[in-house]
Amino acid sequence: ANSTACCWNRGEAMLKRLTERAWYLPWEEETDRPNLCYLLGERHSLAVDAGNSPAHVGKFYRALEEQGLPLPDFTVLTHWHWDHTFGLGAVHGVGIASAKTNQKLRQVAAWQWTPQAMEERERRGEDIPFCNEHIRREYPRLGEIAVSPAAVELEGSLTLDLGGVRCQLLCQENPHAPDGLLVYVPQEGLVVLGDADCGDFYHLGGGYAPGPTRALLQRLSAWDFQWALPGHSGPESKEGELAYLAAQAGSGRPVQKEGAVAETPGGVC
């Protein structure tokens, strides 16, 4: 499938068309909202990632409704980080996550959301300043944060047939998070990465552990696709994505990707 580079902008909601059956709502730097991807089949539809708040989900759904697209029957989480999961309680249909992601979300669901509790988690290394800064921007009233695990969890892999398009969900070692999950859509020539191609900001200051980086590089090299959709930058060609990961595997240091959000020291995908 070919990218149409088509987009609609009506009011605040802008949806970009990536392939014949795939769209995405672009990332927003101010509150660290990631790309939200949407895949339309003949019988079902699927979203990748739940966004960082109910407000983010609402914006996504308004963009879908403006185009006459049905709300997703399934929402797949790529990893546990707040910007990809805190909107899960507001999604339509069924949430799906890896067992590792759900395990972490159950822990996060018990967290207290006060300035004192957030600072204490930073001191213990459970969270990082960049995340807390953007959480405060997205949630002026911290008490509105509600975290929940997905209703369906998987280990290894799962294939969803949406009707005319099959989505392969695969738990994949990667340099960003230990619970990463990729969504591969062969018919559309698309891989949705979440933040899998980002560095580790919790333990390595944004650096790339060579082993996990090479594991991701090997996986993507074996797949036939035209477009990779990262979490916080625009679509990337397969050639460009593999070259980027090869550079990270070689240096172990984060290298700015063309078109990506500029990061400050301590920043995170």
Side-chain angles (χ1 to χ4, degrees):
N2 293 321
S3 172
T4 65
C6 180
C7 66
W8 301 270
N9 189 353
R10 298 182 181 180
E12 66 166 3
M14 181 178 70
L15 198 66
K16 291 191 175 183
R17 192 167 193 170
L18 183 55
T19 71
E20 182 181 353
R21 299 173 188 253
W23 293 257
Y24 70 99
L25 184 71
W27 80 101
E28 300 174 50
E29 183 177 3
E30 182 180 0
T31 58
D32 203 36
R33 289 179 172 181
N35 290 317
L36 299 181
C37 187
Y38 176 86
L39 292 149
L40 178 66
E42 295 167 1
R43 295 188 303 274
H44 302 290
S45 58
L46 177 146
V48 183
D49 280 327
N52 70 359
S53 68
H56 192 192
V57 174
K59 180 175 182 177
F60 184 37
Y61 287 2
R62 286 191 297 275
L64 294 174
E65 289 169 344
E66 285 174 359
Q67 299 308 313
L69 296 169
L71 297 184
D73 299 297
F74 308 101
T75 296
V76 178
L77 305 181
T78 59
H79 61 300
W80 73 270
H81 292 166
W82 81 280
D83 49 319
H84 297 257
T85 61
F86 277 21
L88 186 60
V91 305
H92 176 270
V94 178
I96 303 174
S98 73
K100 286 184 178 180
T101 295
N102 257 4
Q103 181 182 23
K104 185 64 179 183
L105 289 178
R106 292 186 185 99
Q107 296 174 10
V108 177
W111 285 2
Q112 298 297 310
W113 293 101
T114 64
Q116 296 79 8
M118 294 168 76
E119 290 170 7
E120 180 59 29
R121 285 195 292 273
E122 285 185 27
R123 284 194 291 269
R124 294 197 301 261
E126 293 180 291
D127 218 334
I128 56 178
F130 181 90
C131 290
N132 282 338
E133 174 189 345
H134 288 79
I135 287 171
R136 290 187 182 96
R137 292 181 189 174
E138 183 70 27
Y139 291 91
R141 293 180 290 275
L142 292 170
E144 294 181 354
I145 296 174
V147 181
S148 58
V152 176
E153 63 181 55
L154 66 96
E155 295 191 32
S157 63
L158 175 70
T159 298
L160 295 175
D161 188 344
L162 306 181
V165 58
R166 293 165 65 86
C167 299
Q168 299 177 18
L169 318 182
L170 179 72
C171 298
Q172 174 62 49
E173 183 182 14
N174 69 86
H176 184 66
D179 61 325
L181 183 147
L182 305 178
V183 180
Y184 177 41
V185 192
Q187 291 96 331
E188 299 303 293
L190 174 65
V191 179
V192 187
L193 297 171
D195 292 345
D197 65 345
C198 292
D200 182 348
F201 290 86
Y202 280 77
H203 306 100
L204 300 176
Y208 285 72
T213 305
R214 285 193 293 267
L216 178 61
L217 179 60
Q218 182 177 14
R219 173 67 64 184
L220 294 180
S221 297
W223 279 347
D224 182 15
F225 65 93
Q226 183 178 2
W227 296 106
L229 183 65
H232 297 266
S233 58
E236 181 64 80
S237 67
K238 179 177 180 177
E239 180 181 10
E241 185 63 35
L242 296 184
Y244 175 75
L245 286 171
Q248 309 310 321
S251 70
R253 298 187 303 273
V255 176
Q256 186 72 14
K257 182 186 291 185
E258 182 178 353
V261 175
E263 302 290 356
T264 57
V268 62
C269 288

